[in-house]
Amino acid sequence: MAHQTWFKTCAKSFDKDKTPILWTVDSLDVFVKSLDGKAPKTTVEKHLKPFTSGEPFLREPEDSEYYSYILENTHVSKCYSCNKVAIWIYGKLVYPADQTGPEPNPDIPDDILRDYQEASTILDLSPRGATALLRLCIQKICIHLGEKGKDLNKDIGSLVKKGLSPRMQKSLDTVRVIGNESVHPGQIDMKDDRETASKLFDLVNLIVDAMISQPKHIDALYEEKVPESKKDAIKKRDGGN
């Protein structure tokens, strides 16, 4: 484990009838516009933008007021290497949530990665919920590849026409059958269990590797290593312009 700097947690009460402000990207944008130039936009965004992430972070106080309480048995650590914050209650890590699923393929698109990580976080608590999220990942992968994402069977057929390999066709059909054809992506199937979820994690990574990672690496190698003159010759050979 990388070196951690540890902090006590303190609490300062809000004024009467005040509640916490949960900043979002949209609400920050509205607030900045409402200032109408009364304060530098870059300064306001620098101060408030970290709040929009929803993640804990450390910020030096702007005044020297004493805090109302010290929250015992709760501590914050800051990683020396990545500067990320973790929250502990009585020695137990509560943030970030422990992920028990396999590591995601690094080429999973960001919007799919969030569902994958959430599935990994709830795998032990709710295998059915994790399986539903992983089906949703498959649906989104199909959309990422240009399909409609509404009917996995039709998406598979369309991808086969576009050159999907028989091996990946089997993988997608396995997802479809494991997922119970009557259950739509993102829905709960009462028969789902941890073993089903674990297999779907592997299938998601396999599909991303075959349909996103490998083509990306092949394209990068082709662009880097094949001279332009050779590319033109290849286009002529294949009937291109």
Side-chain angles (χ1 to χ4, degrees):
M1 178 185 291
H3 175 72
Q4 304 282 322
T5 303
W6 290 89
F7 302 84
K8 285 186 175 182
T9 54
C10 304
K12 180 181 177 182
S13 61
F14 285 95
D15 294 336
K16 187 178 180 181
D17 298 328
K18 289 287 184 69
T19 58
I21 297 174
L22 301 180
W23 288 99
T24 65
V25 173
D26 290 339
S27 64
L28 175 58
D29 185 54
V30 170
F31 178 71
V32 169
K33 289 178 180 177
S34 72
L35 293 175
D36 195 25
K38 295 177 182 176
K41 179 180 177 181
T42 54
T43 302
V44 175
E45 288 186 337
K46 182 180 180 181
H47 176 73
L48 294 178
K49 196 167 184 179
F51 289 93
T52 66
S53 69
E55 297 181 354
F57 67 97
L58 295 176
R59 183 174 65 89
E60 293 184 2
E62 297 176 354
D63 52 47
S64 59
E65 292 181 8
Y66 290 102
Y67 293 102
S68 303
Y69 304 96
I70 294 177
L71 191 60
E72 299 289 2
N73 279 341
T74 302
H75 297 88
V76 174
S77 66
K78 182 180 181 183
C79 178
Y80 181 81
S81 298
C82 68
N83 287 325
K84 292 282 188 178
V85 167
I87 299 175
W88 308 74
I89 295 180
Y90 204 62
K92 181 181 179 181
L93 178 67
V94 295
Y95 180 89
D98 189 24
Q99 297 185 8
T100 55
E103 284 292 315
N105 183 301
D107 290 318
I108 291 181
D110 289 342
D111 61 322
I112 302 171
L113 177 61
R114 287 191 290 270
D115 294 326
Y116 184 100
Q117 290 175 328
E118 184 176 348
S120 181
T121 299
I122 67 172
L123 176 58
D124 290 328
L125 295 173
S126 176
R128 291 196 296 266
T131 305
L133 284 166
L134 291 167
R135 287 198 202 101
L136 186 60
C137 288
I138 300 294
Q139 179 189 39
K140 288 185 175 182
I141 290 171
C142 288
I143 294 173
H144 181 80
L145 295 171
E147 303 306 322
K148 294 181 178 179
K150 295 180 179 179
D151 185 324
L152 185 56
N153 196 40
K154 290 182 180 179
D155 287 346
I156 294 171
S158 176
L159 289 169
V160 168
K161 292 178 182 178
K162 295 176 181 177
L164 180 69
S165 72
R167 185 172 297 171
M168 282 302 100
Q169 180 185 346
K170 285 182 180 179
S171 295
L172 284 168
D173 277 322
T174 300
V175 172
R176 182 171 59 86
V177 174
I178 286 179
N180 182 346
E181 295 180 66
S182 65
V183 178
H184 296 291
Q187 290 186 341
I188 296 288
D189 184 347
M190 298 306 291
K191 296 188 294 293
D192 287 337
D193 55 19
R194 197 183 193 285
E195 182 181 1
T196 300
S198 296
K199 290 177 179 177
L200 285 180
F201 275 114
D202 292 337
L203 282 171
V204 168
N205 281 322
L206 283 170
I207 292 166
V208 170
D209 180 67
M211 302 176 77
I212 298 178
S213 299
Q214 291 183 29
K216 184 185 79 171
H217 296 321
I218 291 170
D219 289 345
L221 188 63
Y222 181 85
E223 291 299 322
E224 180 183 349
K225 298 297 183 182
V226 179
E228 289 300 323
S229 59
K230 298 293 184 182
K231 291 176 186 175
D232 292 338
I234 292 170
K235 286 180 181 179
K236 291 178 181 178
R237 181 201 68 190
D238 295 339
N241 294 326

